[in-house]
Amino acid sequence: MRPRKSGDVRMGAIGTAYSRIYAVVRRIPRGTVATYGEVAAKAGYPHAPRLAGYALYALPEGTPLPWHRVVGAGGRLSLARLSPDGALTQRMRLEREGLKFDARGRVVTGRLKSLRASKKKSS
DNA sequence: ATCATGACTCCGA
DNA sequence: ATCGGAGCCATGA
């Protein structure tokens, strides 16, 4: 089930899936956003976008990780489903880094545009 | 070991 | 545009 938000965090030792995802999130350039799929893929799980979301969900409140740079596909703030308030914080932080949002609350960046172009059915 | 769940994504209707 | 179902992975009980 859901990991505890605080207390027993055994991710101190690197090598776990969470640590890998966190490492990727941490290396997201400022003023840039990455999708859960991107983060998971770079962490070593190209087909487990849920892991990215799951790992971020386990993040403590005072996490130094730039979790706000992680958005859903197309720049959507999936966080809004779980915590609307948190989504506002994320949006505020991203705007502070120079990112823009459209009327629907989607992030507008030149990086996500290439994401949609690679979609295609296999064989 | 198994079962259920999730800040996801994709595809079809 | 919205709605629903299927697939994938690791974690906790």
Side-chain angles (χ1 to χ4, degrees), chain A residues 43-63:
Chain A
Y45 307 95
H47 289 287
R50 299 197 140 211
L51 279 188
Y54 204 57
L56 292 179
Y57 177 72
L59 282 172
E61 294 184 13
T63 178

Side-chain angles (χ1 to χ4, degrees), chain A residues 93 99 104:
Chain A
R93 289 194 185 203
L99 293 171
R104 293 189 208 68

Side-chain angles (χ1 to χ4, degrees), chain A residues 7 13 27 58 76 87 106 120 122-123:
Chain A
R27 84 174 182 71
R76 296 192 339 265
R106 294 190 307 180
K120 181 200 178 282
S122 52
S123 11

Side-chain angles (χ1 to χ4, degrees), chain A residues 9-28:
Chain A
V9 184
R10 59 174 62 197
M11 56 186 89
I14 48 182
T16 58
Y18 283 26
S19 296
R20 289 178 121 146
I21 293 171
Y22 294 155
V24 175
V25 175
R26 193 174 295 139
R27 84 174 182 71
I28 297 176

Side-chain angles (χ1 to χ4, degrees), chain A residues 13 15 18-19 25 27 33-34 48-49 56 70-71 78 100 109 116 119:
Chain A
Y18 283 26
S19 296
V25 175
R27 84 174 182 71
V33 292
L56 292 179
V70 183
V71 299
S78 298
K100 300 164 192 153
T109 70
R116 323 184 121 252
K119 78 172 329 182

Side-chain angles (χ1 to χ4, degrees), chain A residues 5-7 10-11 24 27 38 52 57 65 73 75 81 86 91 96 99 113 118:
Chain A
K5 303 176 103 179
S6 59
R10 59 174 62 197
M11 56 186 89
V24 175
R27 84 174 182 71
E38 282 282 298
Y57 177 72
L65 284 171
R81 288 198 184 207
R91 176 170 166 177
R96 190 182 64 186
L99 293 171
K113 70 183 188 214
S118 68

